[in-house]
C-alpha cells in the first residue's frame, strides 16, 4: 500500500494507473476507521482495480467546534487497517491541501437536505458537498463508496452527483453492527463503558419497532421508539423520522411508500449517535 499526503503525489500515482487502464474506486472517510469502513474498503477492492481511501476530518461539515475538536484521529492505526483490508493507496490530506482558500461554494441539495440532519446540523451537508466535490475532482474515481448508516448523506450524495453531473457511480453499503446490534461508528470510541451499555437500547428499539408495524400506526411507532429510548438513562432522542426512503419526506401511513426508513439521532451523554432501520411488511 502506498501512503500519500500531497495532492500532487496522489494525482501522479493515479495518472500512472490510468495510463495502465486501471479502474479506480474511492472510499472517502474521516479516519478513525472501524469494521464499517473496512466493509466499504473490501467492496471497493473487489469491484475496482485500485482502491484509494482518504482520511480527512473535514472542518466545513462540523457545525459544532467541540465535536470537530473531539473527533477521533488515529492515523497510524488507520494506515495499518487499510493495508490489511487491501487498499492500494491511503491518502491523508491536510486542510490546506483540500482548502487552499476558504470554500464559499453553496450547493443546491434540494428538499433531501431540508429534513432531519439538515435543520439539526445547519451547513453540514453543504460541507459534505464541498469536500466530496473536491475529492471527486482530485481523484476522478469511477466509483465511490458510502455506508447506509448515514442514510440521508447517501441520498444527498446521489443527488449531488446527479445535479452537478459528476461522472462517478455511487455505491451504498449496508450498516455494519456490533454483535449486540449497536451500529458501528467512529463516535462509539467516545462512549464510556456505561454509556456503551445504554446505547444498545437504540438499535434494540429500532429492531423491536419492526414487529409493531401490524398493530401500530406510523405516529404510534414513532412515539413508541422515542419513549423507549428516552426512558434509558443518558439517552435523549434528537429526532426520529419515519420517511419515504427515496424522498426522505415523512410518511403518515405504512402504505404511503414502497420503501420506508426510520432515521434516528440520539445523544448518549455528549456523543451524538445515528442509526436507521428499513420498515418492510413481512
Ligand atoms: O461519512 C463521512 O465520514 C463523511 O461525511 C465523508 C463522506 C467522508 C465526507 O467528509
Amino acid at each position: 500500500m502506498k501512503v500519500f499526503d500531497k495532492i500532487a503525489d496522489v494525482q501522479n500515482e493515479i495518472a500512472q494507473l490510468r495510463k495502465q487502464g486501471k479502474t479506480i474506486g474511492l472510499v472517502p472517510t474521516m479516519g478513525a476507521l472501524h469494521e464499517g469502513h473496512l466493509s466499504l474498503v473490501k467492496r471497493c477492492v473487489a469491484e475496482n482495480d485500485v482502491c484509494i481511501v482518504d482520511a480527512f476530518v473535514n472542518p466545513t461539515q462540523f457545525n459544532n467546534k467541540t465535536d470537530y475538536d473531539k473527533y477521533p484521529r488515529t492515523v497510524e492505526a488507520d494506515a495499518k487497517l487499510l493495508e490489511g483490508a487491501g487498499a492500494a493507496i491511503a491518502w491523508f490530506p491536510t486542510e490546506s491541501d483540500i482548502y487552499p482558500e476558504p470554500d464559499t461554494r453553496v450547493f443546491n441539495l434540494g428538499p433531501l437536505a431540508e429534513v432531519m440532519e439538515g435543520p439539526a446540523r445547519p451547513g453540514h451537508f453543504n460541507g459534505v458537498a464541498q469536500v466530496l466535490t473536491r475529492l471527486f475532482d482530485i481523484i476522478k474515481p469511477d466509483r465511490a463508496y458510502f455506508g447506509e448508516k448515514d442514510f440521508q448523506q447517501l441520498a444527498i450524495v446521489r443527488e449531488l452527483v446527479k445535479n452537478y453531473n459528476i461522472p462517478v457511480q455511487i455505491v451504498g453499503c449496508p450498516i455494519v453492527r456490533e454483535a449486540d446490534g449497536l451500529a458501528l461508528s467512529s463516535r462509539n470510541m467516545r462512549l464510556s463503558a456505561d454509556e456503551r451499555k445504554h446505547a444498545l437500547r437504540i438499535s434494540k428499539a429500532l429492531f423491536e419497532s419492526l414487529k409493531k408495524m401490524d398493530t401500530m400506526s406510523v405516529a404510534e411507532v414513532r412515539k413508541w421508539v422515542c419513549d423507549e429510548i428516552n426512558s434509558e438513562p443518558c439517552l435523549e432522542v434528537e429526532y426520529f423520522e419515519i420517511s419515504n426512503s427515496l424522498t426522505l419526506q415523512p410518511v403518515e401511513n405504512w402504505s404511503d411508500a414502497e420503501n420506508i426508513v426510520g432515521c434516528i439521532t440520539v445523544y448518549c451523554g455528549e456523543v451524538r449517535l445515528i442509526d436507521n432501520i428499513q420498515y418492510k411488511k413481512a
Side-chain angles (χ1 to χ4, degrees):
M1 183 178 80
K2 295 192 173 164
V3 181
F4 297 107
D5 51 15
K6 302 259 171 315
I7 292 181
D9 294 341
V10 84
Q11 282 188 319
N12 190 33
E13 179 72 14
I14 291 167
Q16 310 292 324
L17 295 163
R18 284 286 185 203
K19 264 193 221 144
Q20 298 162 29
K22 307 262 193 219
T23 57
I24 292 178
L26 172 68
V27 183
T29 80
M30 297 207 298
L33 302 179
H34 50 64
E35 282 300 325
H37 296 110
L38 298 183
S39 74
L40 307 182
V41 175
K42 286 175 193 159
R43 173 108 180 248
C44 178
V45 169
E47 294 180 353
N48 301 273
D49 297 323
V50 176
C51 166
I52 303 184
V53 183
D54 84 278
F56 174 62
V57 184
N58 171 35
T60 72
Q61 71 186 73
F62 285 83
N63 58 327
N64 177 322
K65 172 99 174 56
T66 317
D67 194 23
Y68 172 69
D69 290 341
K70 290 202 169 160
Y71 202 85
R73 288 150 171 96
T74 55
V75 174
E76 274 160 32
D78 290 349
K80 277 202 194 105
L81 288 172
L82 291 177
E83 175 117 58
I89 299 174
W91 178 32
F92 297 97
T94 61
E95 189 174 336
S96 56
D97 285 325
I98 299 293
Y99 300 116
E101 281 158 28
D103 194 336
T104 53
R105 292 172 299 159
V106 177
F107 288 84
N108 175 10
L109 303 168
L112 291 176
E114 284 163 18
V115 292
M116 302 191 281
E117 294 293 280
R121 299 182 73 187
H124 168 67
F125 287 123
N126 199 61
V128 171
Q130 288 175 337
V131 74
L132 290 180
T133 48
R134 271 297 277 155
L135 297 173
F136 292 156
D137 189 47
I138 294 164
I139 307 285
K140 300 194 168 44
D142 297 288
R143 299 185 190 85
Y145 294 78
F146 296 86
E148 285 174 0
K149 182 170 81 69
D150 297 293
F151 194 88
Q152 187 176 11
Q153 169 173 276
L154 174 59
I156 288 175
V157 173
R158 291 192 199 282
E159 185 78 359
L160 174 74
V161 303
K162 191 174 96 199
N163 289 355
Y164 291 87
N165 300 309
I166 305 173
V168 55
Q169 185 190 330
I170 302 301
V171 183
C173 304
I175 299 182
V176 180
R177 297 182 181 278
E178 300 277 8
D180 62 8
L182 181 71
L184 293 193
S185 162
S186 307
R187 290 190 164 90
N188 294 353
M189 288 182 198
R190 291 177 50 205
L191 298 173
S192 68
D194 209 37
E195 286 169 340
R196 169 67 184 78
K197 271 189 223 143
H198 295 303
L200 185 54
R201 180 66 83 97
I202 304 168
S203 56
K204 255 185 121 196
L206 292 179
F207 284 122
E208 279 173 33
S209 74
L210 289 176
K211 299 181 208 138
K212 314 256 170 221
M213 288 176 73
D214 289 333
T215 51
M216 283 187 184
S217 68
V218 169
E220 284 165 344
V221 167
R222 187 164 174 243
K223 181 170 180 315
W224 183 85
V225 167
C226 292
D227 289 349
E228 275 290 300
I229 296 174
N230 285 334
S231 70
E232 189 77 16
C234 80
L235 294 188
E236 195 183 333
V237 175
E238 184 176 9
Y239 65 77
F240 176 49
E241 296 293 352
I242 301 182
S243 308
N244 178 320
S245 303
L246 295 177
T247 64
L248 300 187
Q249 301 309 304
V251 293
E252 283 181 10
N253 303 297
W254 296 116
S255 55
D256 281 356
E258 202 167 316
N259 295 300
I260 293 182
V261 64
C263 294
I264 196 158
T265 294
V266 179
Y267 274 95
C268 181
E270 284 186 356
V271 185
R272 195 172 183 273
L273 300 175
I274 71 172
D275 200 347
N276 65 74
I277 190 104
Q278 311 273 341
Y279 286 103
K280 288 203 173 79
K281 288 243 174 192

